[in-house]
Amino acid sequence: MECAGKGSGTRCLGPPRKRCGRCGAVAYCSASHQISHWKEHKEECGRLEQQMKHLDLLNDFPFTFSQEATIQISEKKESRCSFLSKRDIHQVGMWSCECCCGASVTSFDSSLFDHSRSESHTWYLSNIMCPCRGPSSPIAKSLCSWKDYYEWRCIPLDSPVALLLHWPLTVYHAIQIAGLGSLTSEISKLCIHYLGPEKELLQLAVFGELCALFPGVLVQIELIGPTVPHHRNGDKIDLYSYAHCIEKDCNCKYENENTSCGIGTPTSSRVTLQLHRGYYHDCFRYISKDSFPHLVIAPNAGIAAYSSWLPTIELIKEINVPALFSDYCEEACHLAACCINTVTSQPPRLPIQLNPFRQPIVVEDNALILPCYSNCFLFGM
C-alpha cells in the first residue's frame, strides 16, 4: 500500500509504516504526512474504524485456498501471479487478466476477443474442477454462498473457478436481492443492462453459467461502456453452453463443436451478449428500443471517482428500473451512495451489503489496509 498522505506537498520519506491510531485502516510514511492529511481523513476515520471491525468477515471464504488468496497475498507472502502459476492457469485464456503482468482491456491481444478460438472459452482445468457441462440437478433453493454454489455444481472447494464466476454469480445475486427472482420463473426473456465492463470483456464465456442459473430463460445482456473496443462495438455473441474444460475427450467438446462462436448449438441458445461502446446515458435510447431492462447492474462502478456517472444516475432514476452497483470496498460504496443521494435526493433503496459472491482473491497494492475484493459490496437504487 502507499502513504495516505502522498501528494500532500512534500515527498514521502519512506514506506508507510505509521498507521492511524484510531481506524488502523490507513498508514503514513511520517508524522508530518499524517498531520497534513488529517483534514481529509477525519471525515472517513470513524467509518473506516467500524469497517475494520469486520475484517475477518471480508476474508471469510469456504475454499481450501482462502488463506493463500487473502491473508498471504495481503502480506505479500504470495501474489496473484504465484497463485495462478501454482495451478497452471497463469496468463492463459480467460485467466490472462487476473494478475498485473497479464492482459488488460486497453492493451489486449485481439485473439482474446475472438470467440471462435477455443482459448477464449476454456477453463484450462480438468472437468472435475470446473462447470463445463450442465448441472446434474436443478437449483432446489436460492444460492446464498459460494459453498451453496460449489455443492450444487459438484465442484471441489480447491477449484479456483470462483475467481472468474464472480461475474455471473453477482448478476444472479443482484437479481435475487432486487426482488426479481420470482420473475425469472414467469418470463421467457430476461434483459439486463450491464454497465462499465472491463475485465469481463476478456472473460465473456463465463456468462454461459447463467444458462444453469436461469434454466429455460433467454438471458440477454447489453454490455455498455467506454472500454469496449471500437472494432467490437455492436458485436453480438451467443453463448449456447458453458466454457469447457481442458480434457480432450470430455462431452463438453461435443456439445460445443461446429458453431460460429464455439460455444454450444444454435437451437439451445440461452445467453446473448451484445457489446456497445459509449456511456449508458448516450446509448440507452437506441438500446432500449429492442431491449428495455428488467435490471441495470454496474459491477465495480467507482461512482464517486468518475463524473460521467452523474447523467447515468439521472437516467436510471427517470426510467425507474432496479439498479444494482458494486465496488471493491464498503467505503467506495458509501461515497457512491452519497453521490446518488446528491443527484436523486433519495438514499439507496437497497442498503450497502456484503456480496457473498465477491471474488475470493484480494486486490493487490490496495490503498487501504482493509482488504478489497472485486464485487465486494453491493447497494441499489
Side-chain angles (χ1 to χ4, degrees):
M1 64 176 298
E2 62 183 26
C3 173
K6 184 178 180 180
S8 59
T10 58
R11 294 178 61 183
C12 285
L13 302 178
R17 295 197 176 100
K18 185 177 179 61
R19 292 171 65 168
C20 173
R22 180 185 177 188
C23 71
V26 297
Y28 300 91
C29 67
S30 63
S32 62
H33 268 195
Q34 184 174 9
I35 292 169
S36 64
H37 188 247
W38 174 245
K39 186 177 180 180
E40 297 176 39
H41 178 59
K42 64 180 179 180
E43 182 183 343
E44 65 182 10
C45 188
R47 293 195 305 270
L48 292 176
E49 181 184 13
Q50 293 303 310
Q51 292 167 27
M52 285 290 285
K53 293 177 180 178
H54 306 300
L55 192 64
D56 291 341
L57 185 60
L58 291 180
N59 292 329
D60 185 22
F61 295 100
F63 306 107
T64 59
F65 56 77
S66 296
Q67 184 81 2
E68 179 186 358
T70 58
I71 304 299
Q72 291 182 17
I73 290 179
S74 295
E75 295 177 349
K76 299 191 180 297
K77 295 176 181 177
E78 292 286 350
S79 67
R80 281 181 167 241
C81 289
S82 66
F83 179 92
L84 298 170
S85 294
K86 288 177 182 178
R87 293 157 179 83
D88 295 323
I89 50 176
H90 184 235
Q91 288 189 293
V92 293
M94 297 189 295
W95 302 96
S96 63
C97 57
E98 286 303 323
C99 64
C100 60
C101 63
S104 69
V105 177
T106 53
S107 58
F108 64 89
D109 175 355
S110 59
S111 67
L112 292 173
F113 281 89
D114 183 357
H115 287 267
S116 65
R117 295 170 61 97
S118 62
E119 295 91 335
S120 69
H121 51 85
T122 300
W123 284 112
Y124 284 90
L125 296 167
S126 70
N127 55 15
I128 297 173
M129 298 289 281
C130 65
C132 62
R133 291 166 292 181
S136 58
S137 62
I139 299 176
K141 60 177 182 177
S142 294
L143 304 174
C144 298
S145 67
W146 279 121
K147 186 177 181 181
D148 286 349
Y149 171 78
Y150 269 55
E151 287 179 353
W152 170 58
R153 290 297 256 138
C154 303
I155 304 170
L157 288 173
D158 58 339
S159 168
V161 291
L163 271 64
L164 304 187
L165 285 170
H166 72 105
W167 302 119
L169 267 294
T170 293
V171 170
Y172 168 83
H173 185 63
I175 288 170
Q176 306 306 313
I177 64 174
L180 301 176
S182 60
L183 178 67
T184 59
S185 63
E186 301 169 2
I187 59 174
S188 59
K189 182 178 179 181
L190 176 65
C191 295
I192 298 169
H193 287 186
Y194 191 110
L195 313 188
E198 293 183 348
K199 280 186 180 181
E200 305 95 301
L201 296 172
L202 300 176
Q203 300 169 337
L204 293 177
V206 299
F207 287 95
E209 187 61 14
L210 293 172
C211 294
L213 293 165
F214 300 110
V217 178
L218 171 61
V219 181
Q220 182 169 336
I221 303 179
E222 311 289 341
L223 295 108
I224 308 145
T227 58
V228 172
H230 286 281
H231 73 281
R232 298 307 304 270
N233 185 32
D235 276 12
K236 184 178 180 181
I237 301 161
D238 291 316
L239 304 180
Y240 303 114
S241 189
Y242 309 96
H244 55 71
C245 68
I246 203 169
E247 307 286 346
K248 292 182 179 179
D249 58 350
C250 180
N251 289 340
C252 69
K253 303 298 186 303
Y254 308 113
E255 294 172 0
N256 297 339
E257 66 185 4
N258 298 325
T259 63
S260 59
C261 71
I263 309 179
T265 59
T267 57
S268 61
S269 178
R270 284 294 180 269
V271 178
T272 297
L273 310 174
Q274 189 146 17
L275 309 182
H276 306 273
R277 180 178 174 84
Y279 293 108
Y280 190 49
H281 50 271
D282 294 327
C283 302
F284 173 77
R285 301 301 173 192
Y286 78 82
I287 294 173
S288 62
K289 289 179 181 178
D290 299 317
S291 175
F292 194 85
H294 294 99
L295 175 75
V296 175
I297 184 168
N300 299 327
I303 289 174
Y306 301 102
S307 60
S308 57
W309 274 110
L310 298 180
T312 289
I313 292 167
E314 291 175 344
L315 171 64
I316 292 171
K317 180 185 178 184
E318 176 189 333
I319 64 175
N320 195 30
V321 167
L324 272 291
F325 307 90
S326 77
D327 224 312
Y328 290 95
C329 65
E330 187 175 359
E331 181 64 12
C333 287
H334 170 82
L335 297 174
C338 290
C339 291
I340 290 175
N341 190 24
T342 300
V343 175
T344 65
S345 300
Q346 296 174 347
R349 291 182 185 176
L350 283 171
I352 297 168
Q353 54 197 275
L354 187 64
N355 178 13
F357 296 108
R358 62 197 178 279
Q359 187 183 40
I361 186 169
V362 75
V363 174
E364 292 180 299
D365 299 321
N366 174 24
L368 296 173
I369 293 171
L370 270 168
C372 290
Y373 295 96
S374 181
N375 287 325
C376 192
F377 283 87
L378 291 162
F379 68 99
M381 60 177 288

